[in-house]
Amino acid sequence: MSKKLGLTAAGAVLALSLAACGGGGAGSGTSNNSDKSAQDLSIGVSMPTQTSERWIADGKAVKSQLEKEGYTVTLQYANDDIPTQSQQVDQMITQGADALIIAAIDGTALSSQLDAAAAANIPVISYDRLIRDNENVDFYVSFDNFAVGVAQANALLTGLGVKNDNAPDGTATGPFNVELFAGSLDDNNAHFFFDGAMSILQPLIDDGTLVIKSGETKIEQVATLRWQQETAQKRMEDLLTGSYNDGSLVNGVLSPYDGLSRGIITALQNAGYGPTTEGGAKPMPIVTGQDAEIASVKLIDDGVQSSTIFKDTRKLAEQAVIAAKAFLEGKTPEANDTKTYDNGKKVVPSFLLPVETVFKDDIQTVLVDSGYWTAEEVKAGQAK
Ligand code: BGC
């Protein structure tokens, strides 16, 4: 069911002239649909997994905001399984989707789907995770992912006392024992987060303020396939038995995502780390995070996890909807970054949103006052 079938001669001329203006990306047959109303248009939304709360929130927000605009939406989750996601996207294309919004599991695994989308003039918006190695990515909506890593590293240093608002260069001098974790290597974001964090941490590793006892400082050594909590827990357990069996203590852990942070915290608790007020001899290290997942927000409120990075998925969804709408109306969505995200084939025009660091004292102002979580949800550690 090619989109081209519906083209009128006038539409075709318009399409050509828009293409000549450089209006759309390689895959965007944007103007084909500009004479149709939203009710006649359907959008396929492909999300990676429902095991993480953030993607459930993203899916819901994108779907409801698109529906508010009048579009028909097919939303699918792929259980973190690459063939499932490929097959779901294939199906969206054959069923006549007019635009695609995709958060990829593996950024390099969707090339044949993107080629098929381009052949059918379906614009593709890469959602939060950049789709790589294919020129048919028309737009990218995400957060400033390098800034996420920088914020995580700064939150770690603030927690350790190496840095604070009044003394950006630090009061505590260490040395502090720190271990590093990264996300899934097939997710482009994992590299941005890690590079951002290391831009801050490396000088302090070099001058001895931070000591990585495991010696594992390369992203390949510290990565966590598919961002799995259990994998991070297991690695933390192995680090504790391998590098801290001489009585030394871990003081801080760079964790790039709340789910990993919870796995890391469980391993630490099982090894006797916890509140020193309860007689434990091993204080819980400073553990960072990302996504403001409710279970982690509660841990932060309880003083167990130190911080998280809040990325407002409602705003990201809004940008995805704005971009989809623009393409479907034959326009080009407005980018605020046209330099950073080279996917290996082209620099993808992007709209990047800012992020916020959340410590215990920020829960109310950043998460509750903005309506992201209610105070009750924070207390319960569960979404309603
Ligand atoms: C997202 C993060 C998320 C991670 C694991 C990344 O691509 O940007 O927000 O924590 O995936 O789901």
Side-chain angles (χ1 to χ4, degrees):
M1 244 233 288
S2 165
K3 305 278 114 215
K4 286 182 181 131
L5 291 179
L7 265 185
T8 60
V13 171
L14 182 62
L16 285 174
S17 57
L18 275 170
C21 295
S28 57
T30 53
S31 60
N32 292 0
N33 295 303
S34 56
D35 54 346
K36 291 191 192 165
S37 69
Q39 280 70 23
D40 301 322
L41 296 168
S42 71
I43 300 180
V45 180
S46 170
M47 291 280 153
T49 176
Q50 279 173 303
T51 57
S52 154
E53 200 174 78
R54 91 145 269 199
W55 298 113
I56 299 175
D58 284 279
K60 266 196 201 149
V62 174
K63 185 169 191 287
S64 66
Q65 292 184 34
L66 285 171
E67 284 173 346
K68 221 181 261 165
E69 295 291 335
Y71 299 112
T72 304
V73 181
T74 305
L75 165 65
Q76 290 201 299
Y77 285 90
N79 293 326
D80 260 341
D81 182 56
I82 298 165
T84 302
Q85 185 164 44
S86 306
Q87 189 233 322
Q88 288 175 341
V89 175
D90 276 334
Q91 207 170 31
M92 289 171 185
I93 295 169
T94 53
Q95 289 178 349
D98 297 289
L100 291 169
I101 297 175
I102 304 173
I105 297 166
D106 177 330
T108 61
L110 289 170
S111 256
S112 75
Q113 285 67 35
L114 260 57
D115 290 343
N121 277 335
I122 302 170
V124 174
I125 296 158
S126 193
Y127 187 89
D128 195 51
R129 297 173 170 175
L130 186 65
I131 301 176
R132 293 192 52 88
D133 300 343
N134 191 292
E135 65 189 348
N136 301 313
V137 185
D138 296 297
F139 202 71
Y140 180 43
V141 293
S142 190
F143 296 86
D144 183 338
N145 293 305
F146 191 86
V148 170
V150 168
Q152 286 168 337
N154 282 329
L156 177 64
L157 297 178
T158 301
L160 289 171
V162 175
K163 202 174 199 147
N164 66 47
D165 286 346
N166 303 321
D169 291 333
T171 47
T173 50
F176 293 108
N177 292 331
V178 164
E179 293 297 337
L180 311 172
F181 283 72
S184 199
L185 291 175
D186 53 8
D187 178 348
N188 197 55
N189 288 348
H191 300 267
F192 274 79
F193 300 152
F194 194 70
D195 290 348
M198 289 309 266
S199 73
I200 301 292
L201 300 181
Q202 190 64 55
L204 295 165
I205 296 171
D206 294 342
D207 76 10
T209 307
L210 306 179
V211 178
I212 318 290
K213 285 198 79 183
S214 67
E216 297 185 351
T217 56
K218 302 244 173 314
I219 190 168
E220 294 77 15
Q221 297 173 304
V222 305
T224 315
L225 183 65
R226 297 284 114 73
W227 302 89
Q228 293 278 325
Q229 177 165 338
E230 306 72 41
T231 308
Q233 180 176 335
K234 172 79 173 56
R235 176 161 178 264
M236 192 69 232
E237 286 164 1
D238 291 347
L239 289 172
L240 290 170
T241 49
S243 304
Y244 295 86
N245 55 3
D246 57 359
S248 56
L249 296 179
V250 185
N251 305 120
V253 181
L254 175 81
S255 167
Y257 154 55
D258 285 344
L260 303 191
S261 314
R262 295 196 294 276
I264 291 162
I265 286 168
T266 302
L268 288 161
Q269 286 170 330
N270 290 344
Y273 286 83
T276 40
T277 46
E278 287 171 21
K282 303 178 181 179
M284 180 56 74
I286 302 302
V287 180
T288 63
Q290 173 170 208
D291 291 342
E293 293 201 332
I294 193 62
S296 286
V297 175
K298 178 170 171 50
L299 288 176
I300 294 170
D301 201 40
D302 291 346
V304 180
Q305 186 173 321
S306 177
S307 62
T308 188
I309 306 297
F310 174 49
K311 308 199 303 193
D312 195 333
T313 48
R314 298 166 299 188
K315 293 194 177 147
L316 184 61
E318 198 176 297
Q319 287 308 321
V321 172
I322 289 171
K325 206 168 165 228
F327 281 125
L328 292 170
E329 289 172 357
K331 300 177 193 149
T332 304
E334 198 185 318
N336 66 2
D337 183 298
T338 52
K339 290 200 181 95
T340 310
Y341 286 96
D342 186 336
N343 80 344
K345 292 283 181 197
K346 74 175 196 191
V347 178
V348 183
S350 311
F351 196 97
L352 306 179
L353 292 159
V355 300
E356 270 179 286
T357 305
V358 175
F359 293 99
K360 184 178 164 76
D361 285 351
D362 308 307
I363 292 175
Q364 178 69 36
T365 48
V366 178
L367 301 176
V368 177
D369 292 351
S370 71
Y372 200 75
W373 297 122
T374 64
E376 293 70 47
E377 287 172 319
V378 173
K379 285 282 163 270
Q382 241 182 341
K384 272 221 195 95

